[in-house]
Amino acid sequence: MTAWAAVSVHADAERLAAELVAEAPQAPFEVVWTHQGDSVRIEVREKPEEEEAEFGPPVDVASWGVTFTPSLRTRWARLDLPDGEIQPPDEWVAEASRGPGWLGFLADASELLAGTLNPDMVPAIIAQVVVPRLASWCAVYTAEHAAGPLRLAYLWHADETQLDGLRERLADAQMPSEDGPVVLHIDGWQSLAFPLTARGRRLGVMCLGRHDRFPEESMQLAEDLSRRAALAMDNARLYAQQAAANRALQRSLLPPDEPTTPGLDFHVIYEPAGETNEVGGDFYDLFPAGEGAWRFAIGDVCGTGPEAAAVTGLARHTLRLLAREGYGVAAVVGRLNHAILEEGERARFLTLLHGEITRVDDGLAVTLVSAGHPEALRLRPNGAVDVVGSPQSLLGVFPEAEFRAESAHLGPGDVLLGVTDGVTERRSGTRLLDDDGGLARLLAECVDLSARAVAERIRRAVQDFSPEPMADDLAILVLRTP
């Protein structure tokens, strides 16, 4: 150490060095003064008379060393886990003491679970909410019914590379049937199983695993979350069952197949409104009524749901049955009116366009009744559009109503269009699509188009008329003479 480096603190440095030497044991030592720019470091290096055995771990380790404090010398070594698994930090330890953090967590979890009505998505949301906040991994088992076997619906791990190995370990795990948290025996993990029970029905099991012990706070939180998850799963299942029943009922109310209609080009579009595809009140039908003749119908029952479906089914089957018995178009409509009225309080009024088409030498002869239904329109090859049939009483309201059939002719290239009010009453602000003959103008643009192309043109026009989603069912029936 140079003199100029220590001249200002020389006296203090000597006193400090003397104190350090006085505390040294009766053993050889050396004093080292080191100039470190803006400071002076003074070391008293002890040299024990008997050298201690050099410390070194007996197995391969990632790192090791020796650390000292004024009263403690610590020898340490770090081993890597054989599977290389990454343990996520236990965030709940810090937040559990604060309380409100977990209230927010439960609120967010409840919002996520309530945000889906797809029963296949609920297990995935459960697992991804739990990991890594409460556990390193989560497995959700579900059952089709209370007594049914459990199957692994979703598995999630904080380290995705560990999923396959964990799935193998869980393959032999026995899921408990008891109520309340149950300890599972899975190698290398502290594991708990929580039943998913809602409205008295057992829907599945939520299994959690972590390397260390589950604290009491996290167990209570997981149990609360399992109850919320079970309720969300039950709601999603009930919704899916109702949607499936609606779809099955809707299919039963539509024609089973398309008839073969030589000499007639036809196309039908049917779209129930609403995200859930609830059973609508609109319906259509086209079926043979003898050699070279067909009956067609397009109708709209007031309302939606099972009550409307009951009237829809009654109407479609009555039309077919009476046509096979040889009743004319007007007679069929009159008898259907009485059948609906006989339903009493369950009755719903119905608008209906029903007719018969017969092949003739110069085209098609049409006989029809328009019972409170939007006007049927005829398109000529020259682009002219006119109304076919006059409005008559709707069905299910007046028992004394009488109906008469009206005749029309479809020459080569003529088109007959029938729609429900989901088309004519499509709304954009205060305007309706059929205001000032809007539907007739659309049809006039469909000259020389096939029946399918006409129907698709009308459907696109309805969708483009307003940015709002459809609020009513839509049915379009197009009949065209080749």
Side-chain angles (χ1 to χ4, degrees):
M1 176 178 169
T2 60
W4 63 265
V7 65
S8 61
V9 295
H10 189 270
D12 292 337
E14 284 190 342
R15 286 197 300 272
L16 179 59
E19 292 180 3
L20 292 175
V21 168
E23 295 178 359
Q26 299 298 319
F29 64 87
E30 63 181 5
V31 180
V32 178
W33 293 33
T34 305
H35 176 229
Q36 296 183 335
D38 59 351
S39 64
V40 175
R41 177 185 176 89
I42 302 173
E43 299 178 357
V44 177
R45 297 177 179 176
E46 303 173 12
K47 295 182 178 181
E49 295 180 353
E50 297 181 1
E51 294 289 339
E52 296 184 2
E54 182 179 358
F55 168 64
V59 296
D60 291 337
V61 296
S63 58
W64 62 275
V66 182
T67 57
F68 293 87
T69 66
S71 60
L72 184 67
R73 179 175 65 178
T74 304
R75 300 182 182 186
W76 59 268
R78 182 172 63 84
L79 285 170
D80 289 332
L81 294 172
D83 293 335
E85 296 186 9
I86 301 173
Q87 298 186 36
D90 293 332
E91 300 176 13
W92 62 268
V93 173
E95 292 195 25
S97 61
R98 293 198 292 267
W102 281 126
L103 293 178
F105 168 72
L106 285 176
D108 292 343
S110 298
E111 184 175 356
L112 286 171
L113 290 168
T116 180
L117 290 173
N118 183 346
D120 295 330
M121 285 294 297
V122 176
I125 293 174
I126 295 172
Q128 295 186 34
V129 164
V130 166
V131 176
R133 296 296 299 273
L134 298 181
S136 298
W137 59 263
C138 175
V140 180
Y141 293 78
T142 60
E144 293 297 328
H145 47 83
L150 292 173
R151 64 174 183 86
L152 181 60
Y154 198 85
L155 175 64
W156 189 246
H157 194 295
D159 179 6
E160 295 182 34
T161 63
Q162 307 300 318
L163 283 173
D164 291 339
L166 178 60
R167 186 174 283 105
E168 292 178 1
R169 296 188 203 180
L170 292 175
D172 299 327
Q174 297 296 320
M175 293 300 108
S177 57
E178 299 87 348
D179 293 333
V182 176
V183 177
L184 295 180
H185 301 287
I186 300 176
D187 293 341
W189 297 97
Q190 298 290 330
S191 305
L192 292 175
F194 296 84
L196 298 174
T197 304
R199 300 183 177 97
R201 296 192 299 271
R202 187 179 180 85
L203 307 177
V205 176
M206 179 181 74
C207 301
L208 310 182
R210 56 187 293 160
H211 285 289
D212 55 346
R213 184 182 63 84
F214 279 90
E216 184 66 25
E217 295 88 346
S218 65
M219 292 178 61
Q220 294 175 357
L221 192 68
E223 190 169 7
D224 190 340
L225 185 61
S226 70
R227 289 193 292 268
R228 299 172 189 236
L231 187 59
M233 185 179 296
D234 194 42
N235 289 338
R237 288 188 176 187
L238 292 174
Y239 178 87
Q241 291 170 2
Q242 183 62 49
N246 285 343
R247 289 191 295 269
L249 180 55
Q250 191 75 72
R251 287 194 298 267
S252 73
L253 298 175
L254 299 177
D257 49 29
E258 293 185 353
T260 302
T261 56
L264 173 65
D265 179 20
F266 80 94
H267 190 70
V268 177
I269 291 177
Y270 174 76
E271 293 182 354
E275 297 179 358
T276 63
N277 285 340
E278 183 181 10
V279 180
D282 288 13
F283 72 96
Y284 70 91
D285 205 354
L286 180 65
F287 56 93
E291 185 66 27
W294 303 274
R295 291 284 179 95
F296 68 88
I298 182 168
D300 185 2
V301 179
C302 173
T304 59
E307 294 83 2
V311 177
T312 300
L314 173 65
R316 194 172 73 83
H317 293 297
T318 300
L319 293 175
R320 288 197 169 216
L321 178 61
L322 294 179
R324 292 193 186 98
E325 295 294 326
Y327 287 92
V329 172
V332 168
V333 175
R335 282 163 173 76
L336 176 58
N337 182 49
H338 288 291
I340 295 174
L341 289 168
E342 288 173 358
E343 291 292 302
E345 294 182 356
R346 297 178 298 176
R348 297 292 184 92
F349 66 78
L350 164 70
T351 69
L352 177 68
L353 176 65
H354 178 48
E356 179 174 292
I357 299 176
T358 306
R359 206 167 49 231
V360 294
D361 293 338
D362 58 346
L364 299 172
V366 181
T367 303
L368 55 80
V369 173
S370 181
H373 202 74
E375 299 172 335
L377 300 178
R378 176 174 53 190
L379 170 65
R380 300 290 192 177
N382 61 3
V385 176
D386 59 343
V387 175
V388 177
S390 56
Q392 302 181 48
S393 173
L394 73 167
L395 308 181
V397 178
F398 306 110
E400 69 279 3
E402 296 183 359
F403 301 92
R404 65 186 185 281
E406 299 180 76
S407 299
H409 180 264
L410 297 180
D414 285 355
V415 173
L416 182 68
L417 171 66
V419 300
T420 57
D421 60 7
V423 174
T424 58
E425 297 181 4
R426 174 69 161 151
R427 182 176 294 277
S428 177
T430 60
R431 294 179 56 246
L432 301 181
L433 183 143
D434 199 32
D435 284 348
D436 302 322
L439 181 59
R441 290 196 302 272
L442 285 173
L443 183 59
E445 300 171 357
C446 299
V447 175
D448 295 331
L449 297 182
S450 67
R452 176 186 292 273
V454 173
E456 290 293 342
R457 176 75 66 85
I458 300 299
R459 181 184 65 82
R460 287 197 302 271
V462 172
Q463 291 180 339
D464 296 343
F465 187 72
S466 173
E468 298 297 326
M470 295 288 294
D472 197 1
D473 306 326
L474 175 149
I476 302 171
L477 172 66
V478 178
L479 307 173
R480 181 179 181 273
T481 306

